Amino acid sequence: GIQVEQSPPDLILQEGANSTLRCNFSDSVNNLQWFHQNPWGQLINLFYIPSGTKQNGRLSATTVATERYSLLYISSSQTTDSGVYFCAAMIKAAGNKLTFGGGTRVLVKP
Amino acid sequence: EAQVTQNPRYLITVTGKKLTVTCSQNMNHEYMSWYRQDPGLGLRQIYYSMNVEVTDKGDVPEGYKVSRKEKRNFPLILESPSPNQTSLYFCASSLSPGQGQNEQFFGPGTRLTVL
């Protein structure tokens, strides 16, 4: 099946800093999503981005499908950005199953 | 508001006592699925359903049952729970494959402890 790898595994930021999280996937995908898991365990949809670039406030994401990677940018980080960020990919042959990466744990310090 | 709901949100039970975790979505999605999340193992799919009365096994189906009698509901049944089923469970829904954007939406999670 598809492999999804995220880097770095852990990230410590000072409030106000910018950062880039990376997601590599091993096969062509028809769905690529980014999630934020908050301290209460809830998975919050950030982006649905099988290709191209999207922006939502201080967050933006880019997926280069031909090169099999996606990037999540956090600008001017805030303490509320802390948590675990997951990317998840889906290949057509796998039905609608999302395969999740291992996550990047982000801690933003005040 | 478009959403996926799960109940209960938290449950502590004992080995062997049958339980059901409910999942409901109000987006008229055909596809629904269950995942479990465990430290070091990430999120893994348990079962999924492509439509009413159509269900299939995911990666870790042992010890679980599901049913899909109505489009909006997809309950997860643990007939005889065991401690290794202690986990955080998520229900998700989306449009069917091939219907264009098939973004998946997740419920708030159910934290289950089996003693």
Side-chain angles (χ1 to χ4, degrees), chain A residues 18 27 35 38 94 102:
Chain A
N18 303 327
D27 208 336
F35 299 89
N38 65 22

PDB file of all heavy atoms in Angstrom, chain A residues 18 27 35 38 94 102:
ATOM      1  N   ASN A  18       8.068  31.232  11.720  1.00  0.00           N
ATOM      2  CA  ASN A  18       7.467  30.519  10.589  1.00  0.00           C
ATOM      3  C   ASN A  18       8.048  29.113  10.517  1.00  0.00           C
ATOM      4  O   ASN A  18       9.169  28.863  10.976  1.00  0.00           O
ATOM      5  CB  ASN A  18       7.769  31.242   9.267  1.00  0.00           C
ATOM      6  CG  ASN A  18       7.287  32.683   9.270  1.00  0.00           C
ATOM      7  OD1 ASN A  18       6.280  32.998   9.887  1.00  0.00           O
ATOM      8  ND2 ASN A  18       8.012  33.543   8.574  1.00  0.00           N
ATOM      9  N   ASP A  27       2.991   7.042  -3.801  1.00  0.00           N
ATOM     10  CA  ASP A  27       2.228   6.666  -4.981  1.00  0.00           C
ATOM     11  C   ASP A  27       1.406   7.865  -5.448  1.00  0.00           C
ATOM     12  O   ASP A  27       1.288   8.866  -4.726  1.00  0.00           O
ATOM     13  CB  ASP A  27       1.311   5.487  -4.646  1.00  0.00           C
ATOM     14  CG  ASP A  27       1.006   4.616  -5.850  1.00  0.00           C
ATOM     15  OD1 ASP A  27       1.089   5.115  -6.991  1.00  0.00           O
ATOM     16  OD2 ASP A  27       0.674   3.430  -5.651  1.00  0.00           O
ATOM     17  N   PHE A  35      -4.409  17.693   8.542  1.00  0.00           N
ATOM     18  CA  PHE A  35      -5.226  17.813   9.741  1.00  0.00           C
ATOM     19  C   PHE A  35      -4.378  18.364  10.881  1.00  0.00           C
ATOM     20  O   PHE A  35      -3.160  18.151  10.930  1.00  0.00           O
ATOM     21  CB  PHE A  35      -5.762  16.449  10.194  1.00  0.00           C
ATOM     22  CG  PHE A  35      -6.649  15.748   9.214  1.00  0.00           C
ATOM     23  CD1 PHE A  35      -6.105  14.892   8.263  1.00  0.00           C
ATOM     24  CD2 PHE A  35      -8.019  15.910   9.250  1.00  0.00           C
ATOM     25  CE1 PHE A  35      -6.916  14.220   7.364  1.00  0.00           C
ATOM     26  CE2 PHE A  35      -8.840  15.244   8.354  1.00  0.00           C
ATOM     27  CZ  PHE A  35      -8.290  14.397   7.415  1.00  0.00           C
ATOM     28  N   ASN A  38      -5.840  18.616  17.934  1.00  0.00           N
ATOM     29  CA  ASN A  38      -5.659  19.510  19.072  1.00  0.00           C
ATOM     30  C   ASN A  38      -5.427  18.713  20.363  1.00  0.00           C
ATOM     31  O   ASN A  38      -5.517  17.487  20.362  1.00  0.00           O
ATOM     32  CB  ASN A  38      -6.857  20.473  19.178  1.00  0.00           C
ATOM     33  CG  ASN A  38      -8.166  19.769  19.483  1.00  0.00           C
ATOM     34  OD1 ASN A  38      -8.184  18.664  20.013  1.00  0.00           O
ATOM     35  ND2 ASN A  38      -9.265  20.420  19.134  1.00  0.00           N
ATOM     36  N   ALA A  94      -7.199   2.089  -3.486  1.00  0.00           N
ATOM     37  CA  ALA A  94      -7.509   1.759  -2.093  1.00  0.00           C
ATOM     38  C   ALA A  94      -8.899   2.225  -1.692  1.00  0.00           C
ATOM     39  O   ALA A  94      -9.187   2.370  -0.511  1.00  0.00           O
ATOM     40  CB  ALA A  94      -6.459   2.375  -1.172  1.00  0.00           C
ATOM     41  N   GLY A 102       2.964   9.726  10.081  1.00  0.00           N
ATOM     42  CA  GLY A 102       3.203   9.598  11.508  1.00  0.00           C
ATOM     43  C   GLY A 102       2.987  10.874  12.304  1.00  0.00           C
ATOM     44  O   GLY A 102       2.989  10.842  13.536  1.00  0.00           O
TER      45      GLY A 102
END
